[in-house]
Amino acid sequence: MLSDQELDRYQRHIVLKEIGGQGQARLQSASVAVIGAGGLGNPCLQYLAAAGIGRATLIDDDTVGLSNLQRQTLFTTADIGRSKVQVAAERLAALNPHVVLNPVARRLTPDNAATLLAGHDIIADGCDTFATRALVNRSAVALGIPLVSAAIGPFEGQLGVFAGHLADQPCWACFAGAPADIPGNSCADIGVLGAVAGLIGSAQALEVLRLVTGFGEPQLGRLWLYEGLSLATRSIRVPKDPACPVCS
Ligand SMILES: [Zn+2]
């Protein structure tokens, strides 16, 4: 049930016929695990908290550094050296006290992934290594939880919505393969335009909201690609790989 205060807070959602009071109530009872509280996790969490997601678990073992502030807009100069998930949880609680926040200042590992991710309705991955992405995908398929996976390059981004636990749906590995062998390029190595992180992280929040409330066209099994130098976008369907070692 939404309180009078919440009805006021979410009024701009509630007037949308695609969301309405029912969609807002669904958001209130939904939970999301967000992996990475960096360039993608910041805007994703900000919009999910503002939108009134019920519960969010923030997973990241990193601390705020000066070079993060160019794109990670939940943090300020005074936060340098502090735990990212701790600072993010404070800012999000100030933004929307109705959201239950669970900051976990740990790196996701094969040992803790199932425990940390179980019990969530959706997983949003914005982590910084291919190995962790592959681990998140394996965990999502094993736990039967839909995954909204986002990644960015210097001027480009991609966003995929996966439910690989379903017989007819691809998982992230169906298109990415077994990328544990691929050396990851970090933002520190190759650079990234801050606003691109903001755009893709916000789009990631949008897809979480779509999964919860069901507005518009379902995006399961689709990959959205953004190229910022030319401002080109496209959306492709990912086929389920019958030889995928994760989901088939
Ligand atoms: Zn697969």
Side-chain angles (χ1 to χ4, degrees):
M1 269 291 282
L2 297 164
S3 65
D4 286 350
Q5 271 212 352
E6 288 171 289
L7 290 173
D8 267 359
R9 177 183 286 266
Y10 306 124
Q11 195 267 348
R12 300 297 194 278
H13 276 167
I14 291 167
V15 297
L16 295 170
K17 68 173 171 30
E18 292 83 352
I19 295 185
Q22 204 173 29
Q24 193 62 48
R26 268 193 218 127
L27 278 174
Q28 187 190 36
S29 53
S31 62
V32 61
V34 178
I35 296 124
L40 292 164
N42 267 242
C44 183
L45 284 162
Q46 207 158 16
Y47 278 102
L48 291 177
I53 197 94
R55 186 163 63 87
T57 298
L58 295 57
I59 304 168
D60 196 322
D61 67 343
D62 204 5
T63 55
V64 179
L66 183 57
S67 67
N68 297 150
L69 301 182
Q70 161 259 20
R71 64 196 178 287
Q72 298 177 21
T73 55
L74 283 171
F75 309 137
T76 70
T77 309
D79 298 321
I80 289 169
R82 297 188 61 208
S83 154
K84 284 187 178 181
V85 291
Q86 200 56 51
V87 177
E90 288 171 19
R91 300 287 139 73
L92 298 168
L95 169 64
N96 189 346
H98 301 290
V99 180
V100 177
L101 295 157
N102 175 28
V104 178
R106 295 163 70 185
R107 184 151 199 101
L108 201 76
T109 68
D111 291 334
N112 66 21
T115 311
L116 290 177
L117 300 177
H120 294 88
D121 297 314
I122 296 171
I123 298 170
D125 185 16
C127 75
D128 54 3
T129 71
F130 279 110
T132 304
R133 276 177 194 284
L135 168 64
V136 171
N137 179 60
R138 284 198 305 274
S139 308
V141 171
L143 294 165
I145 302 173
L147 168 65
V148 182
S149 180
I152 44 172
F155 293 91
E156 64 274 342
Q158 63 181 40
L159 181 65
V161 185
F162 301 106
H165 55 285
L166 301 177
D168 59 342
Q169 286 292 331
C171 78
W172 172 86
C174 286
F175 96 91
D181 311 312
I182 302 170
N185 290 316
S186 72
C187 290
D189 298 330
I190 59 172
V192 62
L193 193 69
V196 170
L199 176 77
I200 305 298
S202 301
Q204 189 177 27
L206 184 81
E207 293 315 316
V208 172
L209 299 176
R210 188 196 309 272
L211 280 173
V212 175
T213 64
F215 63 76
E217 305 276 323
Q219 297 298 312
L220 278 185
R222 295 200 73 89
L223 189 69
W224 180 68
L225 303 157
Y226 168 85
E227 210 293 297
L229 288 175
S230 59
L231 197 58
T233 63
R234 67 198 170 104
S235 168
I236 58 172
R237 180 160 292 286
V238 178
K240 191 172 182 90
D241 177 359
C244 175
V246 179
C247 73
S248 287

